[in-house]
């Protein structure tokens, strides 16, 4: 899923300063999973901002609403019924959600309450970690299910480098050396010989694209 | 209401320093008190007699386990009516659901961080892990004492210059 | 022709030393170090923004060494340049007369003085070795487009016998050789037992016959340096006896002990089958190189005819 964290409250307050009637819009998917922008967090942020406004003696109306998934047009369209009541939207969606809403309501100012971070997993309660960079050409099979592009700090495809120490990466003793993990995993499958061949340079054009990448599926269209 | 010596001093201090707005400084604090149902002497009857005693000053919210508290409940209490919102939990290690009170502790801390970030005193939110298993009435009294030095909440009574 | 290559082809022991460029634009800094090292080593490595710290570019510094009549080894890390820039620098290096290149990953950007930069890592060091070999031997850039003139370069790589996972290190060495490495410079050696173990594994795989391995050595300046390196620098293994030896030496004689240890290490390394030379990394202590090389019986160095 996509992970995000709430921006510092001062930054959010500064962003919403020009507006008096705000719709705080949450998302029930990824950002709810990482406790940043779900229904609960949206309610908490709205309450906090209302209290802050009261302390400042400022007039501020904030209503909360959470949609299932803020990045899907069909879930955003119903907001049409209520959007006119507000002069701005404070979105607790990820960057994709914020922009999807902006696309549907181009005349309504929209502000991101979150900093979108990475594609990752919930490895444990309250612990999310990045494990995919969306390279567009998945090579996980070759590395026993451990992505060296994401989890090796130097993106080495023929690792490890000389900085691997006690199974940890040179950048941070808490970060496991991805290559140590890959070697251990492939050893388990007796597939260590897979690492004997020289892995060729990555085609990064699959990740960069020409402008924002897109996918078009005619079989999925109306 | 019965104040201890310490809180008398704190209240006197409040009178001295003033709370910088035109509300009656002797106005009673309004406390939102959430408590685990296992708090000693916290039956429906006990609750009613406390409500009679404190009137509007305390609003009582029994919950099946303190672990059911959400940071949001505490924030909403402060937003709507309370100068302070407190939670009474079972002593550490004695939660019927094992970790409920530990989770509650974290959520209280989170709520405290949030209100501090907008300029409210962290003490407006608090947790009492009922180490000495005092009764609800006793805890209520002690908590009221410990918050008496706080000015009426600027959320409910914005400062006028 | 690379002086380093010439000597190794003859089968003699080679000596290389290291020169760190300045954190500034003054060429004199390079020329001063050049004079300290002239005649003491066959080729001189110039580091490439080591520890991700901005310094005069390795390519430029190597150019200055060429003008001073020395044989530089251009160190190139893949952290800062994409494949366009890397290949371009290879062509430029060869055009300037640089005849040796060392291909490395590079320390992560978070270590240096520009931690907010983007680490490039378009290629890794092994892929880069392959690219250089392709340019040299097939006369094309990566992808097959022909070059108007191939670069002439003796290709090097680094090996770290002391990094984890130990068992995998010979595999990595083999890959570097297969990719095109002609010579290897190892991380500095203090733990001779462990180093011999690695050399044994390399020899068993036949690797010592396929590539020229130069063992790295670094003189310790002080007991503090020894302790720091042991604790903080990954891939360095300093046995406790050596730390003790440094600590038991009075402070004003620790440099002398450091050099003694270095010379002793070289003498022991000479005994190891498959060692083709030594890479002396006297960081900010280039004056020590001459003494070390002299006492280790490696002087005089063969004269260098730049052609």
């Amino acid at each position: 899923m996509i992970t995000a964290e709430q921006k510092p409250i001062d930054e959010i307050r500064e962003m919403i300063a020009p507006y008096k009637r705000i719709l705080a819009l949450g998302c029930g998917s990824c950002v709810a999973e990482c406790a940043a922008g779900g229904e609960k967090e949206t309610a908490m942020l709205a309450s906090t901002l209302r209290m802050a406004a009261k302390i400042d003696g400022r007039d501020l109306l904030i209503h909360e609403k959470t949609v299932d998934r803020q990045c899907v047009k069909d879930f955003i369209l119903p907001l049409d019924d209520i959007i006119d009541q507000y002069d701005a939207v404070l979105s607790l969606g990820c960057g994709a959600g914020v922009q999807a809403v902006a696309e549907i309501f181009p005349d309504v100012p929209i502000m991101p309450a979150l900093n979108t971070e990475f594609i990752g997993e919930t490895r444990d309660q309250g612990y999310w970690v990045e494990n995919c960079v969306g390279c567009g050409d998945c090579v996980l099979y070759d590395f026993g299910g451990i992505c060296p592009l994401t989890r090796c700090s130097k993106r080495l495809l023929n690792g490890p480098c000389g900085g691997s120490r006690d199974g940890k990466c040179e950048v941070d003793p808490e970060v496991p050396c991805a290559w140590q993990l890959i070697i251990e995993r492939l050893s388990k499958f007796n597939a260590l010989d897979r690492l004997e061949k020289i892995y060729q340079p990555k085609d990064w054009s699959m990740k960069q694209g020409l402008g924002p990448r897109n996918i078009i599926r005619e079989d999925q269209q109306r | 209401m019965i104040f201890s010596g310490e809180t008398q001093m704190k209240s006197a201090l409040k009178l001295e320093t003033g709370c910088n707005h035109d509300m009656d400084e002797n106005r009673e604090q309004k406390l939102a008190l959430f408590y685990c149902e296992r708090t000693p002497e916290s039956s429906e009857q006990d609750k009613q007699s406390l409500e009679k005693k404190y009137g509007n000053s305390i609003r009582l919210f029994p919950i099946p386990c303190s672990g059911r508290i959400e940071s949001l409940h505490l924030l909403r209490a402060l937003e709507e009516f309370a100068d302070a919102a407190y939670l009474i939990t079972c002593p550490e290690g004695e939660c019927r659901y094992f970790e409920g009170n530990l989770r509650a502790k974290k959520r209280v801390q989170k709520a405290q961080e949030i209100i501090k970030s907008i300029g409210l005193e962290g003490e407006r939110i608090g947790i009492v892990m009922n180490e000495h298993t005092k009764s609800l009435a006793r805890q209520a009294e002690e908590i009221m004492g410990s918050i008496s030095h706080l000015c009426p909440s600027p959320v409910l009574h914005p400062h006028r210059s | 022709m690379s002086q380093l290559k010439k000597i190794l082809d003859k089968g003699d022991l080679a000596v290389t030393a290291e020169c760190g460029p300045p954190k500034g634009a003054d060429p004199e800094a390079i020329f001063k170090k050049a004079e300290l090292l002239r005649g003491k080593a066959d080729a001189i490595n110039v580091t490439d923004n080591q520890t991700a710290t901005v310094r005069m570019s390795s390519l430029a510094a190597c150019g200055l060494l060429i003008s001073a009549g020395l044989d530089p080894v251009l160190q190139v890390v893949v952290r800062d340049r994409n494949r366009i820039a890397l290949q371009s620098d290879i062509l430029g290096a060869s055009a300037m007369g640089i005849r040796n290149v060392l291909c490395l990953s590079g320390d992560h950007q978070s270590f240096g003085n520009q931690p907010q930069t983007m680490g490039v890592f378009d290629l890794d060091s092994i892929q880069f070795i392959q690219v250089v070999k392709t340019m040299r031997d097939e006369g094309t850039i990566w992808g097959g487009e022909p070059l108007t003139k191939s670069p002439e370069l003796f290709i090097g790589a680094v090996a770290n016998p002391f990094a984890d996972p130990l068992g995998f290190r010979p595999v990595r060495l083999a890959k570097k050789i297969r990719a095109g490495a002609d010579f290897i410079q190892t991380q500095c050696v203090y733990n001779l037992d462990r180093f011999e173990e690695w050399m044994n594994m390399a020899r068993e795989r036949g690797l010592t016959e396929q590539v020229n391995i130069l063992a790295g050595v670094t003189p310790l300046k002080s007991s503090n340096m020894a302790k720091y390196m042991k604790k903080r620098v990954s891939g360095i293994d300093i046995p406790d006896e050596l730390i003790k030896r440094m600590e038991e030496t009075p402070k004003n004689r620790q440099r002398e002990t450091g050099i003694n240890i270095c010379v002793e290490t070289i003498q022991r390394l000479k005994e190891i089958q498959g060692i083709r030379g030594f890479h002396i990394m006297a960081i900010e202590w280039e004056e020590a190189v001459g003494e070390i090389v002299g006492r280790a019986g490696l002087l005089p160095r063969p004269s260098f005819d730049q052609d």
Side-chain angles (χ1 to χ4, degrees), chain A residues 89-114:
Chain A
V89 174
L90 176 65
S91 165
L92 284 94
C94 72
V98 177
Q99 292 183 77
V101 174
E103 190 77 18
I104 306 281
F105 301 114
D107 298 326
V108 183
I110 184 158
M111 300 160 288
L114 306 183

PDB file of all heavy atoms in Angstrom, chain A residues 89-114:
ATOM      1  N   VAL A  89     -10.815  22.245   0.130  1.00  0.00           N
ATOM      2  CA  VAL A  89     -10.765  20.862   0.605  1.00  0.00           C
ATOM      3  C   VAL A  89      -9.397  20.600   1.221  1.00  0.00           C
ATOM      4  O   VAL A  89      -8.379  20.929   0.623  1.00  0.00           O
ATOM      5  CB  VAL A  89     -10.998  19.866  -0.564  1.00  0.00           C
ATOM      6  CG1 VAL A  89     -10.790  18.427  -0.100  1.00  0.00           C
ATOM      7  CG2 VAL A  89     -12.394  20.035  -1.138  1.00  0.00           C
ATOM      8  N   LEU A  90      -9.410  20.055   2.420  1.00  0.00           N
ATOM      9  CA  LEU A  90      -8.154  19.594   3.029  1.00  0.00           C
ATOM     10  C   LEU A  90      -8.155  18.080   2.896  1.00  0.00           C
ATOM     11  O   LEU A  90      -8.922  17.382   3.558  1.00  0.00           O
ATOM     12  CB  LEU A  90      -8.081  20.008   4.503  1.00  0.00           C
ATOM     13  CG  LEU A  90      -6.852  19.501   5.275  1.00  0.00           C
ATOM     14  CD1 LEU A  90      -5.572  20.106   4.716  1.00  0.00           C
ATOM     15  CD2 LEU A  90      -6.977  19.816   6.759  1.00  0.00           C
ATOM     16  N   SER A  91      -7.334  17.591   1.997  1.00  0.00           N
ATOM     17  CA  SER A  91      -7.384  16.157   1.716  1.00  0.00           C
ATOM     18  C   SER A  91      -6.388  15.386   2.568  1.00  0.00           C
ATOM     19  O   SER A  91      -5.218  15.751   2.667  1.00  0.00           O
ATOM     20  CB  SER A  91      -7.068  15.911   0.236  1.00  0.00           C
ATOM     21  OG  SER A  91      -6.766  14.538   0.043  1.00  0.00           O
ATOM     22  N   LEU A  92      -6.886  14.301   3.163  1.00  0.00           N
ATOM     23  CA  LEU A  92      -5.998  13.384   3.875  1.00  0.00           C
ATOM     24  C   LEU A  92      -5.728  12.149   3.030  1.00  0.00           C
ATOM     25  O   LEU A  92      -5.435  11.062   3.551  1.00  0.00           O
ATOM     26  CB  LEU A  92      -6.604  12.995   5.230  1.00  0.00           C
ATOM     27  CG  LEU A  92      -6.496  14.094   6.288  1.00  0.00           C
ATOM     28  CD1 LEU A  92      -7.752  14.945   6.315  1.00  0.00           C
ATOM     29  CD2 LEU A  92      -6.255  13.509   7.652  1.00  0.00           C
ATOM     30  N   GLY A  93      -5.834  12.328   1.741  1.00  0.00           N
ATOM     31  CA  GLY A  93      -5.471  11.220   0.862  1.00  0.00           C
ATOM     32  C   GLY A  93      -3.992  11.283   0.546  1.00  0.00           C
ATOM     33  O   GLY A  93      -3.313  12.251   0.880  1.00  0.00           O
ATOM     34  N   CYS A  94      -3.504  10.243  -0.106  1.00  0.00           N
ATOM     35  CA  CYS A  94      -2.131  10.288  -0.586  1.00  0.00           C
ATOM     36  C   CYS A  94      -2.092  11.250  -1.771  1.00  0.00           C
ATOM     37  O   CYS A  94      -3.131  11.750  -2.194  1.00  0.00           O
ATOM     38  CB  CYS A  94      -1.668   8.904  -1.013  1.00  0.00           C
ATOM     39  SG  CYS A  94      -2.436   8.354  -2.554  1.00  0.00           S
ATOM     40  N   GLY A  95      -0.919  11.488  -2.297  1.00  0.00           N
ATOM     41  CA  GLY A  95      -0.780  12.407  -3.419  1.00  0.00           C
ATOM     42  C   GLY A  95      -1.684  12.064  -4.583  1.00  0.00           C
ATOM     43  O   GLY A  95      -2.188  12.946  -5.281  1.00  0.00           O
ATOM     44  N   ALA A  96      -1.910  10.778  -4.777  1.00  0.00           N
ATOM     45  CA  ALA A  96      -2.797  10.358  -5.869  1.00  0.00           C
ATOM     46  C   ALA A  96      -4.224  10.799  -5.581  1.00  0.00           C
ATOM     47  O   ALA A  96      -4.933  11.294  -6.455  1.00  0.00           O
ATOM     48  CB  ALA A  96      -2.739   8.841  -6.033  1.00  0.00           C
ATOM     49  N   GLY A  97      -4.649  10.621  -4.343  1.00  0.00           N
ATOM     50  CA  GLY A  97      -6.005  11.007  -3.948  1.00  0.00           C
ATOM     51  C   GLY A  97      -6.220  12.507  -4.067  1.00  0.00           C
ATOM     52  O   GLY A  97      -7.234  12.977  -4.593  1.00  0.00           O
ATOM     53  N   VAL A  98      -5.250  13.254  -3.567  1.00  0.00           N
ATOM     54  CA  VAL A  98      -5.363  14.723  -3.612  1.00  0.00           C
ATOM     55  C   VAL A  98      -5.562  15.182  -5.051  1.00  0.00           C
ATOM     56  O   VAL A  98      -6.454  15.977  -5.366  1.00  0.00           O
ATOM     57  CB  VAL A  98      -4.104  15.390  -3.027  1.00  0.00           C
ATOM     58  CG1 VAL A  98      -4.200  16.900  -3.144  1.00  0.00           C
ATOM     59  CG2 VAL A  98      -3.900  14.983  -1.582  1.00  0.00           C
ATOM     60  N   GLN A  99      -4.756  14.634  -5.920  1.00  0.00           N
ATOM     61  CA  GLN A  99      -4.805  15.085  -7.310  1.00  0.00           C
ATOM     62  C   GLN A  99      -6.043  14.576  -8.038  1.00  0.00           C
ATOM     63  O   GLN A  99      -6.589  15.251  -8.917  1.00  0.00           O
ATOM     64  CB  GLN A  99      -3.530  14.659  -8.038  1.00  0.00           C
ATOM     65  CG  GLN A  99      -2.333  15.408  -7.487  1.00  0.00           C
ATOM     66  CD  GLN A  99      -1.071  15.081  -8.227  1.00  0.00           C
ATOM     67  OE1 GLN A  99      -0.844  15.561  -9.328  1.00  0.00           O
ATOM     68  NE2 GLN A  99      -0.254  14.237  -7.628  1.00  0.00           N
ATOM     69  N   ALA A 100      -6.508  13.392  -7.655  1.00  0.00           N
ATOM     70  CA  ALA A 100      -7.722  12.874  -8.274  1.00  0.00           C
ATOM     71  C   ALA A 100      -8.898  13.790  -7.945  1.00  0.00           C
ATOM     72  O   ALA A 100      -9.733  14.108  -8.801  1.00  0.00           O
ATOM     73  CB  ALA A 100      -7.998  11.457  -7.793  1.00  0.00           C
ATOM     74  N   VAL A 101      -8.961  14.234  -6.705  1.00  0.00           N
ATOM     75  CA  VAL A 101     -10.038  15.143  -6.295  1.00  0.00           C
ATOM     76  C   VAL A 101      -9.896  16.478  -7.011  1.00  0.00           C
ATOM     77  O   VAL A 101     -10.882  17.043  -7.503  1.00  0.00           O
ATOM     78  CB  VAL A 101     -10.033  15.342  -4.757  1.00  0.00           C
ATOM     79  CG1 VAL A 101     -11.052  16.384  -4.336  1.00  0.00           C
ATOM     80  CG2 VAL A 101     -10.302  14.026  -4.047  1.00  0.00           C
ATOM     81  N   ALA A 102      -8.653  16.950  -7.108  1.00  0.00           N
ATOM     82  CA  ALA A 102      -8.410  18.232  -7.784  1.00  0.00           C
ATOM     83  C   ALA A 102      -8.836  18.168  -9.237  1.00  0.00           C
ATOM     84  O   ALA A 102      -9.318  19.139  -9.818  1.00  0.00           O
ATOM     85  CB  ALA A 102      -6.935  18.592  -7.681  1.00  0.00           C
ATOM     86  N   GLU A 103      -8.666  16.994  -9.818  1.00  0.00           N
ATOM     87  CA  GLU A 103      -9.016  16.773 -11.226  1.00  0.00           C
ATOM     88  C   GLU A 103     -10.536  16.860 -11.419  1.00  0.00           C
ATOM     89  O   GLU A 103     -11.021  17.423 -12.408  1.00  0.00           O
ATOM     90  CB  GLU A 103      -8.520  15.370 -11.613  1.00  0.00           C
ATOM     91  CG  GLU A 103      -8.569  15.041 -13.065  1.00  0.00           C
ATOM     92  CD  GLU A 103      -7.445  15.674 -13.859  1.00  0.00           C
ATOM     93  OE1 GLU A 103      -6.428  16.096 -13.264  1.00  0.00           O
ATOM     94  OE2 GLU A 103      -7.608  15.774 -15.086  1.00  0.00           O
ATOM     95  N   ILE A 104     -11.285  16.332 -10.459  1.00  0.00           N
ATOM     96  CA  ILE A 104     -12.743  16.317 -10.577  1.00  0.00           C
ATOM     97  C   ILE A 104     -13.331  17.681 -10.219  1.00  0.00           C
ATOM     98  O   ILE A 104     -14.355  18.101 -10.766  1.00  0.00           O
ATOM     99  CB  ILE A 104     -13.361  15.255  -9.627  1.00  0.00           C
ATOM    100  CG1 ILE A 104     -12.733  13.896  -9.857  1.00  0.00           C
ATOM    101  CG2 ILE A 104     -14.880  15.208  -9.786  1.00  0.00           C
ATOM    102  CD1 ILE A 104     -13.231  13.139 -11.038  1.00  0.00           C
ATOM    103  N   PHE A 105     -12.680  18.356  -9.287  1.00  0.00           N
ATOM    104  CA  PHE A 105     -13.187  19.674  -8.848  1.00  0.00           C
ATOM    105  C   PHE A 105     -12.113  20.725  -9.037  1.00  0.00           C
ATOM    106  O   PHE A 105     -11.559  21.247  -8.058  1.00  0.00           O
ATOM    107  CB  PHE A 105     -13.621  19.600  -7.375  1.00  0.00           C
ATOM    108  CG  PHE A 105     -14.687  18.578  -7.106  1.00  0.00           C
ATOM    109  CD1 PHE A 105     -14.421  17.470  -6.323  1.00  0.00           C
ATOM    110  CD2 PHE A 105     -15.963  18.724  -7.650  1.00  0.00           C
ATOM    111  CE1 PHE A 105     -15.403  16.518  -6.075  1.00  0.00           C
ATOM    112  CE2 PHE A 105     -16.948  17.776  -7.417  1.00  0.00           C
ATOM    113  CZ  PHE A 105     -16.664  16.669  -6.627  1.00  0.00           C
ATOM    114  N   PRO A 106     -11.803  21.058 -10.286  1.00  0.00           N
ATOM    115  CA  PRO A 106     -10.673  21.949 -10.545  1.00  0.00           C
ATOM    116  C   PRO A 106     -10.861  23.363 -10.009  1.00  0.00           C
ATOM    117  O   PRO A 106      -9.890  24.091  -9.870  1.00  0.00           O
ATOM    118  CB  PRO A 106     -10.568  21.961 -12.071  1.00  0.00           C
ATOM    119  CG  PRO A 106     -11.903  21.522 -12.566  1.00  0.00           C
ATOM    120  CD  PRO A 106     -12.494  20.647 -11.528  1.00  0.00           C
ATOM    121  N   ASP A 107     -12.076  23.729  -9.678  1.00  0.00           N
ATOM    122  CA  ASP A 107     -12.284  25.093  -9.197  1.00  0.00           C
ATOM    123  C   ASP A 107     -12.232  25.210  -7.690  1.00  0.00           C
ATOM    124  O   ASP A 107     -12.399  26.301  -7.148  1.00  0.00           O
ATOM    125  CB  ASP A 107     -13.643  25.618  -9.690  1.00  0.00           C
ATOM    126  CG  ASP A 107     -13.686  25.678 -11.203  1.00  0.00           C
ATOM    127  OD1 ASP A 107     -12.624  25.962 -11.807  1.00  0.00           O
ATOM    128  OD2 ASP A 107     -14.752  25.415 -11.784  1.00  0.00           O
ATOM    129  N   VAL A 108     -12.033  24.092  -7.013  1.00  0.00           N
ATOM    130  CA  VAL A 108     -11.994  24.123  -5.554  1.00  0.00           C
ATOM    131  C   VAL A 108     -10.547  23.998  -5.095  1.00  0.00           C
ATOM    132  O   VAL A 108      -9.879  23.033  -5.442  1.00  0.00           O
ATOM    133  CB  VAL A 108     -12.815  22.950  -4.963  1.00  0.00           C
ATOM    134  CG1 VAL A 108     -12.837  23.031  -3.439  1.00  0.00           C
ATOM    135  CG2 VAL A 108     -14.226  22.949  -5.531  1.00  0.00           C
ATOM    136  N   PRO A 109     -10.068  24.965  -4.319  1.00  0.00           N
ATOM    137  CA  PRO A 109      -8.688  24.852  -3.815  1.00  0.00           C
ATOM    138  C   PRO A 109      -8.546  23.584  -2.978  1.00  0.00           C
ATOM    139  O   PRO A 109      -9.437  23.243  -2.201  1.00  0.00           O
ATOM    140  CB  PRO A 109      -8.515  26.093  -2.936  1.00  0.00           C
ATOM    141  CG  PRO A 109      -9.595  27.023  -3.337  1.00  0.00           C
ATOM    142  CD  PRO A 109     -10.730  26.190  -3.847  1.00  0.00           C
ATOM    143  N   ILE A 110      -7.428  22.884  -3.170  1.00  0.00           N
ATOM    144  CA  ILE A 110      -7.239  21.643  -2.417  1.00  0.00           C
ATOM    145  C   ILE A 110      -5.853  21.633  -1.781  1.00  0.00           C
ATOM    146  O   ILE A 110      -4.880  22.062  -2.390  1.00  0.00           O
ATOM    147  CB  ILE A 110      -7.457  20.410  -3.311  1.00  0.00           C
ATOM    148  CG1 ILE A 110      -7.358  19.122  -2.479  1.00  0.00           C
ATOM    149  CG2 ILE A 110      -6.439  20.344  -4.457  1.00  0.00           C
ATOM    150  CD1 ILE A 110      -8.060  17.961  -3.110  1.00  0.00           C
ATOM    151  N   MET A 111      -5.790  21.172  -0.543  1.00  0.00           N
ATOM    152  CA  MET A 111      -4.528  21.182   0.191  1.00  0.00           C
ATOM    153  C   MET A 111      -4.215  19.783   0.702  1.00  0.00           C
ATOM    154  O   MET A 111      -5.124  19.089   1.164  1.00  0.00           O
ATOM    155  CB  MET A 111      -4.652  22.124   1.390  1.00  0.00           C
ATOM    156  CG  MET A 111      -4.970  23.546   0.984  1.00  0.00           C
ATOM    157  SD  MET A 111      -5.679  24.469   2.348  1.00  0.00           S
ATOM    158  CE  MET A 111      -7.304  23.739   2.453  1.00  0.00           C
ATOM    159  N   PRO A 112      -2.958  19.379   0.619  1.00  0.00           N
ATOM    160  CA  PRO A 112      -2.604  18.037   1.111  1.00  0.00           C
ATOM    161  C   PRO A 112      -2.269  18.087   2.604  1.00  0.00           C
ATOM    162  O   PRO A 112      -1.416  18.856   3.016  1.00  0.00           O
ATOM    163  CB  PRO A 112      -1.349  17.699   0.313  1.00  0.00           C
ATOM    164  CG  PRO A 112      -0.708  19.027   0.037  1.00  0.00           C
ATOM    165  CD  PRO A 112      -1.801  20.071   0.042  1.00  0.00           C
ATOM    166  N   ALA A 113      -2.957  17.303   3.393  1.00  0.00           N
ATOM    167  CA  ALA A 113      -2.645  17.259   4.831  1.00  0.00           C
ATOM    168  C   ALA A 113      -1.544  16.247   5.126  1.00  0.00           C
ATOM    169  O   ALA A 113      -1.027  16.192   6.229  1.00  0.00           O
ATOM    170  CB  ALA A 113      -3.888  16.908   5.636  1.00  0.00           C
ATOM    171  N   LEU A 114      -1.236  15.435   4.126  1.00  0.00           N
ATOM    172  CA  LEU A 114      -0.255  14.378   4.356  1.00  0.00           C
ATOM    173  C   LEU A 114       0.966  14.543   3.462  1.00  0.00           C
ATOM    174  O   LEU A 114       0.899  15.157   2.408  1.00  0.00           O
ATOM    175  CB  LEU A 114      -0.858  13.003   4.058  1.00  0.00           C
ATOM    176  CG  LEU A 114      -2.148  12.597   4.745  1.00  0.00           C
ATOM    177  CD1 LEU A 114      -2.521  11.164   4.344  1.00  0.00           C
ATOM    178  CD2 LEU A 114      -2.035  12.700   6.247  1.00  0.00           C
TER     179      LEU A 114
END
